[in-house]
């Protein structure tokens, strides 16, 4: 076996699946008297993205989706995936070699409860599994008399000859001025939080939390400028950073004096050392790791399982962060206007660019922005029926062409070195829309306006606002099967926690200084997908104790997709005001005369 | 000491407070080497109402509110009450004898953590305390080395010479036809639920659950026609009922053959007996009792703490229940129209009836309805500033008079033997309203309409709809500090669980056949209170998988409190349609010619 170019992507790793992979892991398990191995999609960082080197689930099962879990026994290879991925899993080339279950309807814990036997030894990587996941699996094992066995690393690395290299990008320290706050100030805020919780220190494995706290950025992952580090921070504001020293070679001198650097493998040892004088520590139960929790509890230390203090503090952006995020979103809006103008002209000229062409063209316009440094997620450039797929990625060849009669959805975001992460969606058409498309687009727009125009009490729980974006669609028996909005980072993750607008309980109080998307949509399988997404800052309303949304991105809505007969006066006024702001905001961007004319026309009062 | 007439109400028990009460209990505690005694407001049934005999908190602390907790030590008498009751507790005559804390800001568990000492023995009634409450207190005790000691009865009964008699009302069995479902069918449904949960039996202490399951009604409490019984129901659908045999003397022969009657004191013994062959049982952790949970877990039985299956099954009304509830609400609406017409005429005649007069007059009209049998809660008849108090009760003497310039709020509900419990609120005025009242009333009405007119997917979580009723008010920086709606029983509790419309997470999926109120309001301290409440049935919308609200009560809205300039066309149409239904629904009720004219005028199109 040799390294193949297929190893350069998750899809490549999955496509290269061969039964030998499974045979090798089984042999290793047999050597260690292990009866079953738990293989999650995530790694030690519980982040949205994992480096290729940690695509264990793709390697073992050939499944390339973004979420799932595998269990390997000597007899079976089992894959658990959610509703989004049922079709993909069942049609992947090696599907016959798998047992595929629904992650929610028949979760791994239930399989363990029904299919394991007394005396079985079931291995999991205790630096990867979270306490929450561990407890579910442990409870199931207990019921059959099986043992859940923590191991160091998950066995697969040793059976993966052509495993991609673990990322070792050079990290850099950003200035206090750029971040708007010094590391000292941030660490003091976390320390204060810990003292209020009565906790001696906090364990945090989230790379974007590490990046924010230490004013550090890296390039270990696509789409998100982070270093794959983990930290402890104590109630005196001192930080232990666990990361590869070579990645910090350039940055180490600039690191705050609060920070002590350790090799990643010292993580548990240092936790043990710091814990000697601790009664209580904080750790996010959904992240962990279980290895730390187990060790601490064994020594009689109380482990408070809570969302990290850093996740909460990072969510409230400071004035500098908000300023650079607004600036980046405004400049990216210019690229969108150029793209949409270009697309209109292409179709006027009788051309039919492909989805992939449009995706590339947007990149071309964005790379002209001096501090642009890449996408914040894989662009969704989708025409007609393709836009009804949740996470469509246009292929270089064979995607749809955009024609006069197309309904075209573009969902894209960028990373900006001056300090911004963006996320925008527009749906466009180029001739009279079908009644269904016109209706769906207008209902989704009404939902967007109802939520975006809402004033609400400071501290309103995020999920409580979700229904405002659905109300208009529900009156027509229409709904969308995704959340309504998510937090966005400051040159960090485009899906930042903790705030979420969605039906499910999230429970985060909304506060001034948070940044969040609003993105209701409506979809018809095989026909079209419509979504209207804008990035908003949560700002103080004129009356104390009340908040509202202020748009950060300014891209016109497609006039051909607005049915004025469905809008009331206040909704029309909202759109006109947003379009007027769009004209004003983008006036300084140096658009061409033709682009400016196009923008004026698109943003004239309805 | 002798029994006084003051013992006939909670207020009387509280008002009769004397330090001797505390001295007697302290002596008893000392005899038993108890350092502190926990005294909750609730009793074994965890119901909204308790019989006077169980008003332990009122007896010991002189506090007559509906929620709170006390702790008695040899040195201190501590009362914990929530925000609603701070003022009342601090101004009660014996306030100087108490330490008063905020139930949520400084809860009993925190007091235990800070003020108890190693070796302390802290007593609680283990048939009263719920597992949830127990665990919070136990955790606090553990941190100081104190012991939480379960006792039989809470000591106070033995120190209460003039304690009111425990209610022993005769219960009656209602027919299957009246209930719409036989006890056998209901028990089979619970048994099926238990088998699906893998539980051998369910412990249920809620008297309205007992009443519903066994087609049984009683008169043990004011406002709610129940017998204070507790039950076990097993996975073969057999029921152990724990209640006083003398109360069932008339009913025993009619009781289902599924039911075995036991004396109340056999409760724990029978649980122990039934548990011998059980692995798992169900018990509501917020109700308990802790005594059962503790005993079961000690014997290695798994106790699933979940909302009772009966609470869930009872919430979905059958066609008979829905029919009689609609009929009762419609007939009660007639009494409301008579009352409002009478009130209008009184003021036209230059009279100024008191709040208490109006409350009495409503009773007079309601008692003319043949099957009316009393209020479902104490009527709130409140003029102007009094209506801004959450649970105002008009005094017989000294309440406000209703004048031409008053804003008058009436919130009342009835119990109907033919099968109905109702709850309605209207706010009325008699001359041009102040701009503030007009604005508040119209905003609250817009909220009511937005929610009542909403179509929503089957299974939408109840709390997700709450914001629709607040949205209009929020745009004007106005809000109300109470829930938006609650379930209502079938000749049972007016505040029935599990469904709740409110900001806080409730998490109950809304289903066809549920009955629920919608009641947004707006309040100005010392000035006025406004609320618009209608009882609704949740019905199927024309499209499969979608639900909507159908009004059950029909009382006009006060036209002088509607600012048409704030309503859009669809809102005006909603009111006109509701008023048209009101005319039609009440046309058969035998109103007088003058009442009919008044109704026609009140319900003419806006």
């Amino acid at each position: 076996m040799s390294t193949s170019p297929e190893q350069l992507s998750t899809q490549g790793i999955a496509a290269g699946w061969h039964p030998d992979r499974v045979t090798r892991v089984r042999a290793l398990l047999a050597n260690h008297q292990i009866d079953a191995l738990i293989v999650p999609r995530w790694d030690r960082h519980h982040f949205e993205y994992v480096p290729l080197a940690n695509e264990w689930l793709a390697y073992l099962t050939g499944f390339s989706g973004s979420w799932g879990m595998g269990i390997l026994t000597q007899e079976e290879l089992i894959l658990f995936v959610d509703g989004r991925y049922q079709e993909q899993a069942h049609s992947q080339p090696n599907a016959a070699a798998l047992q595929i279950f629904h992650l929610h309807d028949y979760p791994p814990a239930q399989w363990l409860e029904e299919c394991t036997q007394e005396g079985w030894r079931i291995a999991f990587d205790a630096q990867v599994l979270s306490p929450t996941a561990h407890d579910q699996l442990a409870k199931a094992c207990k019921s059959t008399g099986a043992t859940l066995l923590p191991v160091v690393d998950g066995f697969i690395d040793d059976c993966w000859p052509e495993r991609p290299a673990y990322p070792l990008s050079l990290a850099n320290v950003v200035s206090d001025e750029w971040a708007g706050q010094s590391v000292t100030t941030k660490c003091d805020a976390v320390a204060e939080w810990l003292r209020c919780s009565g906790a001696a220190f906090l364990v945090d494995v989230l790379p974007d939390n590490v990046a924010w706290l230490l004013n550090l950025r890296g390039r270990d992952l696509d789409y998100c400028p982070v270093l794959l580090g983990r930290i402890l921070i104590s109630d005196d504001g001192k930080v232990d950073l666990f990361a590869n020293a070579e990645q910090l070679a350039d940055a180490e001198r600039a690191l705050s004096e609060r920070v002590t650097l350790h090799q990643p493998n010292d993580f548990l040892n240092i936790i043990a050392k710091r814990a000697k004088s601790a009664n209580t520590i904080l750790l996010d139960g959904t992240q962990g790791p279980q290895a730390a929790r187990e060790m601490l509890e064994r020594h009689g230390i109380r482990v408070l399982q809570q969302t990290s203090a850093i996740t909460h503090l990072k969510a409230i952006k400071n004035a500098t962060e908000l300023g650079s995020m607004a600036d980046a979103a405004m400049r990216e809006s210019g690229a969108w206007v150029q793209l949409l103008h270009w697309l209109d002209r292409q179709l006027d000229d009788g051309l039919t660019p492909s989805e992939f062409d449009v995706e590339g063209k947007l990149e071309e316009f964005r790379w002209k922005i001096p501090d642009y440094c890449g996408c914040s997620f894989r662009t969704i450039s989708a025409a007609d029926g393709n836009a009804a797929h949740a996470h469509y990625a246009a292929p270089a060849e064979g995607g749809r062409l955009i024609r006069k009669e197309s309904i075209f959805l573009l969902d894209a975001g960028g990373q900006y070195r001056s300090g911004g992460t963006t996320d925008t969606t527009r749906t466009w058409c180029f001739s009279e829309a079908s009644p269904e498309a016109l209706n769906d687009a207008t209902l989704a727009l009404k939902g967007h306006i109802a939520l975006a125009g809402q004033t609400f009490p400071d501290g309103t729980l995020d999920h409580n606002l979700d229904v405002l974006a659905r109300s208009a669609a529900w009156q027509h028996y229409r709904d969308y099967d995704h959340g309504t909005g998510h937090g966005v980072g400051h040159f960090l993750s485009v899906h930042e926690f903790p705030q979420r607008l969605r039906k499910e309980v999230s429970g985060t109080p909304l506060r001034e200084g948070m940044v969040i998307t609003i993105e209701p949509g409506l979809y018809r399988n095989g026909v079209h997908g419509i979504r209207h997404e804008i990035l908003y800052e949560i700002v103080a309303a004129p009356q104390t104790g009340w908040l509202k949304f202020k748009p950060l991105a300014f891209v016109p809505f497609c006039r051909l997709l607005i049915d004025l007969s469905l809008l009331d006066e206040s909704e029309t006024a909202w759109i006109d005001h947003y379009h007027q702001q769009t004209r004003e905001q983008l006036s300084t961007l140096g658009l061409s005369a033709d682009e400016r004319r196009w923008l004026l026309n698109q943003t004239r009062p309805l």
Side-chain angles (χ1 to χ4, degrees), chain A residues 64-335:
Chain A
S64 64
S66 68
W67 199 242
M69 192 183 257
I71 298 182
L72 179 69
T73 71
Q74 291 299 337
E75 281 75 41
E76 295 177 298
L77 175 57
I78 305 149
L79 175 65
F80 300 86
V81 296
D82 63 29
R84 293 176 297 174
Y85 289 118
Q86 287 296 317
E87 199 188 311
Q88 175 180 329
H90 280 98
S91 59
Q92 66 187 52
N94 69 335
L98 302 170
Q99 281 206 58
I100 300 166
F101 293 117
H102 194 292
L103 188 62
H104 305 305
D105 297 347
Y106 188 81
Q110 198 171 341
W111 183 90
L112 290 174
E113 217 172 297
E114 293 178 11
C115 302
T116 62
Q117 292 165 25
E118 186 156 356
W120 270 35
R121 289 155 47 89
I122 299 165
F124 71 97
D125 185 335
Q127 290 215 56
V128 165
L129 216 61
S130 70
T132 309
H134 169 269
D135 289 355
Q136 287 165 357
L137 302 181
K139 194 173 157 192
C141 287
K142 201 177 162 191
S143 73
T144 67
T147 305
L148 202 55
L149 204 70
V151 294
V152 179
D153 291 335
F155 288 102
I156 294 180
D157 294 352
D158 298 336
C159 307
W160 190 349
E162 71 276 47
R163 183 177 175 227
Y166 196 79
L168 285 173
S169 74
L170 283 179
N172 64 295
V173 172
V174 296
S175 71
D176 293 357
E177 292 66 39
W178 183 92
Q181 229 181 336
S182 69
V183 173
T184 306
T185 311
K186 291 177 180 180
C187 289
D188 286 345
V190 177
E192 171 68 20
W193 186 297
L194 291 175
R195 288 192 300 270
C196 289
S197 308
F201 61 87
L202 163 73
V203 177
D204 203 319
V205 301
L206 275 184
D208 59 337
N209 279 359
V210 174
W212 177 82
L213 183 72
L214 302 183
N215 287 349
L216 201 62
R217 295 296 187 273
R219 278 184 292 265
D220 279 353
L221 296 174
D222 292 340
Y223 305 128
C224 186
V226 292
L227 165 83
L228 289 171
R230 295 181 288 179
I231 56 164
L232 310 184
I233 171 165
S234 61
D235 63 359
D236 61 357
K238 290 192 180 142
V239 178
D240 295 297
L241 168 63
F242 302 85
N244 293 300
E246 54 267 50
Q247 296 187 260
L248 289 154
D250 291 358
E252 201 173 352
R253 267 186 316 153
L255 270 181
S256 161
E257 57 181 17
R258 295 288 184 94
V259 180
T260 308
L261 182 62
H262 307 270
Q263 281 302 310
N265 287 340
D266 285 338
F267 186 59
L268 292 175
N269 296 336
I270 301 287
I271 291 179
K273 192 173 147 194
R274 299 277 179 262
K276 274 185 185 142
S277 55
N279 290 317
T280 302
I281 74 114
L282 281 188
L283 172 153
D284 192 321
T286 64
Q287 290 153 5
Q290 167 62 14
R293 181 257 199 131
E294 195 275 332
M295 178 183 73
L296 291 164
E297 290 190 341
R298 191 156 24 87
H299 287 90
I301 293 160
R302 189 174 166 212
V303 177
L304 282 183
Q305 296 188 29
Q306 292 178 355
T307 301
S308 166
I310 304 176
T311 301
H312 287 294
L313 293 167
K314 171 170 107 284
I316 312 291
K317 271 52 179 175
N318 63 49
T320 303
E321 290 171 325
L322 291 169
S324 59
M325 288 188 79
D327 187 59
M330 192 266 287
R331 286 180 292 127
E332 166 150 310
S333 299

Side-chain angles (χ1 to χ4, degrees), chain A residues 302-503:
Chain A
R302 189 174 166 212
V303 177
L304 282 183
Q305 296 188 29
Q306 292 178 355
T307 301
S308 166
I310 304 176
T311 301
H312 287 294
L313 293 167
K314 171 170 107 284
I316 312 291
K317 271 52 179 175
N318 63 49
T320 303
E321 290 171 325
L322 291 169
S324 59
M325 288 188 79
D327 187 59
M330 192 266 287
R331 286 180 292 127
E332 166 150 310
S333 299
W336 275 74
V337 165
Q338 293 180 303
L339 184 273
L340 290 169
H341 161 263
W342 169 85
L343 187 56
D344 253 3
R345 289 286 171 273
Q346 289 276 302
L347 271 78
D348 283 347
D349 294 348
L351 300 170
T352 55
S354 73
E355 297 162 333
F356 197 76
D357 293 338
V358 179
E359 181 173 352
K361 195 70 191 176
L362 178 65
E363 282 309 278
E364 198 181 310
F365 285 120
R366 293 207 285 200
W367 280 106
K368 288 180 187 156
I369 302 171
D371 65 325
Y372 178 68
C373 53
C375 295
S376 60
F377 59 93
R378 171 70 200 268
T379 297
I380 302 171
S381 173
D384 303 319
N386 287 343
H389 294 289
H391 295 108
Y392 178 72
E397 306 284 339
R400 283 182 198 247
L401 302 183
I402 296 152
R403 306 170 191 280
K404 272 279 179 194
E405 59 277 17
S406 299
I407 307 284
F408 173 66
L409 180 147
L410 185 65
D411 185 349
Q415 295 287 7
Y416 292 84
R417 260 190 311 275
S418 60
T421 304
T422 65
D423 189 359
T424 304
T425 309
R426 283 296 180 278
T427 312
W428 217 260
C429 76
F430 312 89
S431 59
E432 194 181 332
S434 71
E436 290 77 18
L438 188 61
N439 197 57
D440 283 356
T442 309
L443 292 178
L445 186 57
K446 282 170 78 80
H448 186 111
I449 295 168
L451 178 48
Q454 181 69 55
T455 302
F456 52 97
D458 190 1
T460 294
L461 298 183
D462 47 0
H463 62 261
N464 278 344
L465 295 182
D466 173 84
V467 71
L468 294 171
R470 302 182 192 270
S471 168
W474 282 3
Q475 296 299 68
H476 294 251
Y477 311 118
R478 305 276 293 134
D479 197 8
Y480 50 94
D481 192 17
H482 59 71
T484 299
H486 53 81
V488 173
H490 173 246
F491 192 45
L492 278 175
S493 173
V494 75
H495 297 133
E496 190 173 273
F497 285 93
Q499 71 270 26
R500 284 289 180 278
L501 298 165
R502 59 179 186 188
K503 287 178 183 176

